[in-house]
Amino acid sequence: MTTDATAPVLGWLGTGRMGAAMARRLIDEGESVSVWNRTKSKTAPLVGRGATAVDRIADLGSCDVVFVMVSTPKDLEEVVAGPQGLLSGQQRPGAIVDCSTVSAATSAAVRAAATDAGVDFLAAPVSGNPHVVAEGGACIVASGPLDAFQRVRPYLEQIAKVAVHAGEGEQSRLVKLCHNLYLGMMTQALVEVTSLAEKGGTDRAAFLEFLNGTVLASDWVRKRTDDLIKRDWTPTFTTELLRKDFDLGLGAARSLEVPMPIGGAVYQLIQSAIGTGLGEADFLALYEQQAHGAALSEAQP
Amino acid sequence: MTTDATAPVLGWLGTGRMGAAMARRLIDEGESVSVWNRTKSKTAPLVGRGATAVDRIADLGSCDVVFVMVSTPKDLEEVVAGPQGLLSGQQRPGAIVDCSTVSAATSAAVRAAATDAGVDFLAAPVSGNPHVVAEGGACIVASGPLDAFQRVRPYLEQIAKVAVHAGEGEQSRLVKLCHNLYLGMMTQALVEVTSLAEKGGTDRAAFLEFLNGTVLASDWVRKRTDDLIKRDWTPTFTTELLRKDFDLGLGAARSLEVPMPIGGAVYQLIQSAIGTGLGEADFLALYEQQAHGAALSEAQP
Amino acid sequence: MTTDATAPVLGWLGTGRMGAAMARRLIDEGESVSVWNRTKSKTAPLVGRGATAVDRIADLGSCDVVFVMVSTPKDLEEVVAGPQGLLSGQQRPGAIVDCSTVSAATSAAVRAAATDAGVDFLAAPVSGNPHVVAEGGACIVASGPLDAFQRVRPYLEQIAKVAVHAGEGEQSRLVKLCHNLYLGMMTQALVEVTSLAEKGGTDRAAFLEFLNGTVLASDWVRKRTDDLIKRDWTPTFTTELLRKDFDLGLGAARSLEVPMPIGGAVYQLIQSAIGTGLGEADFLALYEQQAHGAALSEAQP
Amino acid sequence: MTTDATAPVLGWLGTGRMGAAMARRLIDEGESVSVWNRTKSKTAPLVGRGATAVDRIADLGSCDVVFVMVSTPKDLEEVVAGPQGLLSGQQRPGAIVDCSTVSAATSAAVRAAATDAGVDFLAAPVSGNPHVVAEGGACIVASGPLDAFQRVRPYLEQIAKVAVHAGEGEQSRLVKLCHNLYLGMMTQALVEVTSLAEKGGTDRAAFLEFLNGTVLASDWVRKRTDDLIKRDWTPTFTTELLRKDFDLGLGAARSLEVPMPIGGAVYQLIQSAIGTGLGEADFLALYEQQAHGAALSEAQP
């Protein structure tokens, strides 16, 4: 796409680290982007690359599509449905794409407000951090009206390498929870086999080097290999936060009546790890609990 | 390395599909390789690329290193320690590298025979099929004397992209079992989250497309995505064979006194899947059991 | 105790089947009991044995202790704290003992209303059905102020064979949930070993006869033995109701941060049983799921 | 039965504590019993009550039924099938009833020897200790030919309150393992709910008093209540011995292809408890592991 006279104009609400990284990809592709941020100075780097800063959220009402990336559910409600929000002006955008991480309930409430105002709403959480986004490696899972998804898909694919439509409702929130449940289960699986290899006499580094070479390897394990070798539990994401995701994910499974034999077992192991003091450590510290049960821990540095 | 007068000469025992793919990589790198196979005609393609075929196993006694890739534990015992085997001649190689998939017990017995004859023995199972080997994507995990590993490492790295030393004993066999336990656990984790996303309204294809884009993605899941979408359980590896690997892997965990909370739970799920008729299907059919418990199965094609 | 002039007067609110069975035990012990029921005619049998019926709930305000046994949380709130309730009159009882099965939240709300009115409140759920109560085999677990418990204990011990003080707050509700969690876990344990013995060639009846003779025997298993032999799943308590108790019990465990490895695993098995159609059957039908996984079901009548 | 001229004569091999307690019940019922023990002096108390001591095992060959209660599998093989054993004489008994605790393999071997010699063999392990036997509370589960069981049943019912026929083969050994698996599962269930009640504010003694009053109560929990209250882990049966029974029981389940979801989960918890140092404690010390995960342990005396 090019920024000619008829080009759609995009809006971007929220230019924190993650929002800025995403918006920049659109700008660098030549899109015409208007940006707003509570602290206006934070929009400067984007303006420097070609974006236009606006003073009021409602100024984005004339955009075809407005993306939102804010910190909390309350922020989302305010910038979209609040008295000064996106839906408060005379002009309203064609679609709102919310990339924030919020609960399905908040998402549904904001979606209802948008729909009432005649605006399509897509819930579109992102997998990846600002660094990954900048390199083009992020993934987006979106849910909401299919035709709206198809309209915004070209933009999503400028931002991320994969953009998937998960359904017409709040499915994208559930898909994100499924991702995090899978992460927790993979972690426990990993620490079980690592401790087994280790007790058999293979050191962690050698075992992980092998695993990282096989078809079972994942970028996530590769990225965490050094931490696991060094038993460095500086939190990237704490065990308590993982429990929170399991609370939500298993709660959804209960509502949908889906048994989760392994998911449920990992949840109890997470609880036990928290009970023994690993709650504020990185969740990869599940290794410590496993190694302790395997009588490995004292032998380790 | 080049095939000059002082170059080490390599031997290769067993040129079936897997053995031939591995030996060919050495030949194509310019190594001087002598090959033997029970059915001699099968060595022809390698001879055509520069290998030398020998008539008797003992003829490989003059090689620096002899690789073995045979089908069964009994074959391994015979070609190494049998009356016409590699250790039966006057000259013996410096090291034997066994890439066959055998039990730790057979491995230990053959190792003892080699060691008694003054020959270093490396147990070096391979992760990857002939196609993967040909493309240079295989991984090798080896165990045995460290100095022997270091001597043969350059050859292992011509064959595979990763060659790891797992210990001085039979650790490589255990590491391979750990790999397979991890595969089983990952599979059950995958079918749990897939069925959850699905019951929430996201189709399998969309969910897997998203997952395959994230840092949790693995080549194995990517490769099996189509089968899981189509519910095609044509066996690549049956549920009963996976149970066999869990028998061995959890047996090793019991001997080493390593608790396997998730490994043990998956084992029971595998058993239950076999009890309900999925034993001879591909093990990815664990999806069927999961979908049945989630009341999804009837709804699916 | 005898009904002399200075004897304490007891009140009873709610004379359904369970309430009547309990009140009758007090009357038959010679206590002076005033009774109220929404449908007054239901008090007749108790009046026939010596009770006094009152017209208005507030008439029980002059009693030393008033017992409550009603059907729903809403009923409890109404008969105690409603505009015509027990706390609405000029005179108020010394203590209220609620034997209904309600949530901890409702219990806490009613307790607060009573406490504000200067009345001690004991939450005192009962284990046992009307038949068991009549025979004197019920158990009561009560929580609330210890001195109130000690004052009413003689009455509780006229009603039940065991009366235990579980704490000063809502602990008795949790203890009842613990009982039900234990029941679910014991049931799954029972069906696992029964199916194992059975597949080994011992029929269910013989196995259960043996088990019922050992120190592990419980009245509950004895009572359900015939149903299990005949695979009679006519509900005494459905699988869905058991799931409801697990929802509450595991929810409490989560709040209190207590890992429940086996409780959590049984929960998933219950969910899976519901998914395969056993939700409205008696929860002992967990046997069917187990037998199916053991490939026993087709072989059975 | 009375000791008239035509009364069957019973033999008893092995009069240690358990054997003596069992034999004594037969003698006290008026049976004519001939006894043998390696250390002959140990037969004196039984002789004092009316038994006849014999010098050689083969002297029992003329008995109708010979009971065996020895310590080890090797003892069983020797006293039955050894050169001086029961089958070595000219006369052989009509049936052998082995009450020792041995493996199914040993049992099958001795059974084969007896059957070859034309003697019926019943494997009849006992549930109960000498004290329980003396009080008539033991249970016997027997397997072997049904007609032999029916012939000896009157004697079994003099010894124990329950005597069950579990099948024609080695089923009684499996039934005993099922009993022990059930014990392990019940124990873990017990410690989970106890710790939950406790963390909610109910002390262990009160909770257990309540549980012991309900239909879920068992003599085993009643008997162990004091130990659990006092956290007295003086072994009655160690965690390692329980693991041994789970090794055998789950091994049998694997052979018979019976999934054991909870049995398998408890097995891993037992392994973990051993790994953290509870192997030589009483298995009820599973409480410690549970309390530790619930962050209860430090708070307790």
Side-chain angles (χ1 to χ4, degrees), chain A residues 12-16 18-19 22 67-71 98-101 126:
Chain A
W12 198 282
L13 262 170
T15 60
M18 190 72 173
M22 295 171 77
F67 293 84
V68 185
M69 177 54 102
V70 292
S71 299
D98 173 45
C99 301
S100 315
T101 296
V126 183

Side-chain angles (χ1 to χ4, degrees), chain C residues 56-69:
Chain C
R56 299 178 318 133
I57 294 172
D59 294 340
L60 299 178
S62 59
C63 295
D64 288 330
V65 181
V66 177
F67 292 84
V68 184
M69 178 54 103

Side-chain angles (χ1 to χ4, degrees), chain A:
Chain A
M1 288 174 202
T2 56
T3 53
D4 63 42
T6 63
V9 178
L10 305 180
W12 198 282
L13 262 170
T15 60
R17 284 183 63 230
M18 190 72 173
M22 295 171 77
R24 182 173 155 175
R25 288 187 62 86
L26 292 171
I27 297 163
D28 290 357
E29 290 283 333
E31 300 297 343
S32 172
V33 183
S34 295
V35 300
W36 176 92
N37 196 63
R38 192 176 309 260
T39 307
K40 196 178 177 182
S41 61
K42 287 197 184 166
T43 61
L46 294 173
V47 171
R49 299 184 86 89
T52 306
V54 301
D55 290 323
R56 299 179 315 132
I57 293 173
D59 293 339
L60 299 178
S62 57
C63 295
D64 288 330
V65 181
V66 176
F67 293 84
V68 185
M69 177 54 102
V70 292
S71 299
T72 70
K74 210 181 138 193
D75 289 337
L76 174 64
E77 288 175 339
E78 191 181 325
V79 300
V80 174
Q84 312 292 324
L86 194 51
L87 302 174
S88 69
Q90 296 226 309
Q91 273 195 295
R92 285 156 184 176
I96 296 172
V97 181
D98 173 45
C99 301
S100 315
T101 296
V102 301
S103 67
T106 298
S107 187
V110 174
R111 178 188 303 281
T115 306
D116 285 352
V119 179
D120 286 329
F121 183 86
L122 290 166
V126 183
S127 168
N129 58 34
H131 187 70
V132 169
V133 169
E135 291 179 335
C139 301
I140 293 178
V141 54
S143 57
L146 180 58
D147 60 337
F149 175 75
Q150 282 164 339
R151 288 199 322 270
V152 305
R153 182 176 208 155
Y155 309 118
L156 298 176
E157 291 180 347
Q158 286 172 351
I159 297 170
K161 69 173 172 180
V162 173
V164 176
H165 185 244
E168 304 265 330
E170 304 305 331
Q171 286 87 351
S172 59
R173 312 295 186 186
L174 177 62
V175 166
K176 193 79 194 295
L177 290 174
C178 286
H179 172 274
N180 291 2
L181 289 170
Y182 187 59
L183 171 62
M185 291 189 255
M186 184 183 275
T187 302
Q188 178 63 27
L190 180 70
V191 303
E192 291 187 17
V193 293
T194 300
S195 67
L196 176 54
E198 201 174 345
K199 201 159 182 196
T202 300
D203 66 42
R204 282 200 293 285
F207 175 71
L208 292 167
E209 185 185 352
F210 173 71
L211 198 68
N212 286 337
T214 71
V215 291
L216 302 181
S218 63
D219 285 345
W220 180 76
V221 175
R222 281 192 198 100
K223 209 167 60 174
R224 303 305 308 275
T225 290
D226 273 355
D227 294 336
L228 186 49
I229 291 172
K230 294 176 188 157
R231 296 167 84 192
D232 178 349
W233 316 130
T234 309
T236 60
F237 193 68
T238 66
T239 311
E240 282 182 359
L241 285 171
L242 185 64
R243 180 177 61 178
K244 177 80 182 158
D245 278 352
F246 269 67
D247 285 338
L248 295 172
L250 294 178
R254 171 63 184 83
S255 301
L256 292 165
E257 301 202 297
V258 175
M260 301 290 283
I262 297 310
V266 170
Y267 185 52
Q268 301 302 331
L269 289 163
I270 291 169
Q271 181 59 66
S272 174
I274 290 171
T276 53
L278 299 170
E280 293 171 31
D282 189 86
F283 68 97
L284 192 52
L286 283 168
Y287 172 81
E288 288 298 322
Q289 174 170 261
Q290 170 65 18
H292 186 57
L296 266 174
S297 25
E298 264 65 55
Q300 290 302 114

Side-chain angles (χ1 to χ4, degrees), chain B residues 243 247 254 257-261 264 267-268 271-272 274, chain D residues 243 247 254 257-261 264 267-268 271-272 274:
Chain B
R243 180 177 60 178
D247 284 338
R254 171 62 186 82
E257 301 201 297
V258 174
M260 300 290 283
Y267 185 53
Q268 301 300 333
Q271 181 59 65
S272 174
I274 290 172
Chain D
R243 180 177 61 178
D247 284 339
R254 172 62 185 83
E257 302 201 297
V258 175
M260 300 291 283
Y267 184 52
Q268 301 300 333
Q271 181 60 65
S272 173
I274 290 172

